[in-house]
Amino acid sequence: IDRLGISVRPDDARLVNLCVLKSKGYFGNSSPDVKQLWLNMYNEQLKLVYMDGRRCSDAV
């Protein structure tokens, strides 16, 4: 998340959610279609975090 330029508090539940979604998408023991669904959910959640303004330290 840091590498993407997103600043999120360590206790933010969305951080845990992003980690779980990405892990299931890449390392889950499901069919490729289900893995793609997990990655799609990860990308949607990541967009929400970006739009939240937390990636900019001076955001209001």
Side-chain angles (χ1 to χ4, degrees):
I1 299 299
D2 251 356
R3 191 170 43 105
L4 296 174
I6 302 172
S7 175
V8 180
R9 293 185 326 266
D11 62 343
D12 193 337
R14 293 178 303 171
L15 180 62
V16 174
N17 191 35
L18 285 171
C19 293
V20 169
L21 291 173
K22 189 165 186 173
S23 297
K24 284 187 175 189
Y26 281 113
F27 308 112
N29 58 357
S30 309
S31 68
D33 292 341
V34 176
K35 285 181 166 182
Q36 189 58 48
L37 287 174
W38 288 113
L39 287 176
N40 290 346
M41 287 190 283
Y42 165 77
N43 288 322
E44 289 300 315
Q45 290 295 316
L46 189 61
K47 285 180 198 174
L48 292 174
V49 172
Y50 269 132
M51 292 186 330
D52 190 25
R54 293 178 186 263
R55 66 186 170 135
C56 302
S57 60
D58 60 348
V60 177

